[in-house]
Amino acid sequence: MRLFTAVTLGTTIEARVAAELKRLRQLANHARFVRVEGIHLTLVFLGEVEASRLPAIREALASVGPRHAPFTLSVGGGGTFGTPTHPRVLWADVHGETNALKALQADTAEQLQPLGFESEYRDYAPHLTLARSHTSSGDPALLECVKALSGTDLGQGRVDRLVLFESRGPEYHRVAEVPLTRIA
């Protein structure tokens, strides 16, 4: 099983991202855009994991929820990763209660570390991936997408649970959910 932990952002952001992706596809028609029903903010990528390890992973994640209260994030604007002239990834910026998100990510990583899972983030920088270049050399058309995203508001979403996902190709399946239950 290919697993990762993440938070989802709700139907308002999903609907606005869907509309925005239609517009962006016209600007970068060679890029691979994300599926709207799969948008999420990855916290810790676990990689290939044997199904026999699921109980221990669920137990580790269950301890995270009671220590965190639900919080609100907003999405808008954007940028790229990769070289300035040939970026490889297009992303939308995440605002709002990002300190709560960073704390949730750090706690999740800390709980999974004794099970042998290392976080790929030294300094977690939340972003919502929208598209990737088809080639490793990047896609200059993604720069036009950044201009188009300037000043956009893709909405707000309430984060109230941590989700363990299984990636099956382009589809993500929920394996476990941990409600965030601390009273703020």
Side-chain angles (χ1 to χ4, degrees):
M1 310 175 80
R2 190 173 171 85
L3 301 176
F4 64 93
T5 60
V7 297
T8 57
L9 298 168
T11 56
T12 299
I13 291 176
E14 285 180 5
R16 289 189 184 172
V17 167
E20 195 62 31
L21 290 181
K22 286 181 185 176
R23 187 170 74 108
L24 295 175
R25 279 187 179 97
Q26 296 173 4
L27 299 174
N29 57 2
H30 294 295
R32 291 186 330 253
F33 284 85
V34 298
R35 294 168 54 130
V36 174
E37 58 275 6
I39 65 167
H40 62 274
L41 301 175
T42 301
L43 300 180
V44 179
F45 180 73
L46 286 70
E48 288 296 329
V49 178
E50 293 179 18
S52 62
R53 297 186 68 195
L54 274 177
I57 293 168
R58 282 188 174 116
E59 184 179 333
L61 295 178
S63 68
V64 174
R67 292 194 294 267
H68 298 271
F71 54 92
T72 302
L73 297 173
S74 57
V75 178
T80 60
F81 294 133
T83 64
T85 57
H86 289 79
R88 293 183 325 274
V89 176
L90 172 69
W91 49 265
D93 204 5
V94 175
H95 309 281
E97 296 178 74
T98 56
N99 285 339
L101 177 64
K102 289 177 181 181
L104 179 61
Q105 187 277 332
D107 194 8
T108 302
E110 184 178 322
Q111 296 307 307
L112 292 170
Q113 196 272 333
L115 300 177
F117 301 106
E118 296 293 331
S119 176
E120 58 189 0
Y121 305 111
R122 277 208 173 111
D123 185 23
Y124 183 68
H127 62 278
L128 182 62
T129 299
L130 299 176
R132 290 181 175 82
S133 170
H134 266 297
T135 66
S136 61
S137 61
D139 185 349
L142 293 177
L143 296 172
E144 292 304 312
C145 294
V146 172
K147 289 179 190 173
L149 285 170
S150 178
T152 59
D153 176 7
L154 299 176
Q156 285 190 339
R158 183 171 167 83
V159 175
D160 63 359
R161 65 194 60 246
L162 169 65
V163 183
L164 176 64
F165 281 105
E166 178 186 3
S167 173
R168 297 182 197 155
E171 294 181 7
Y172 304 132
H173 300 272
R174 292 172 189 248
V175 175
E177 294 186 15
V178 178
L180 306 181
T181 57
R182 195 188 94 221
I183 305 296

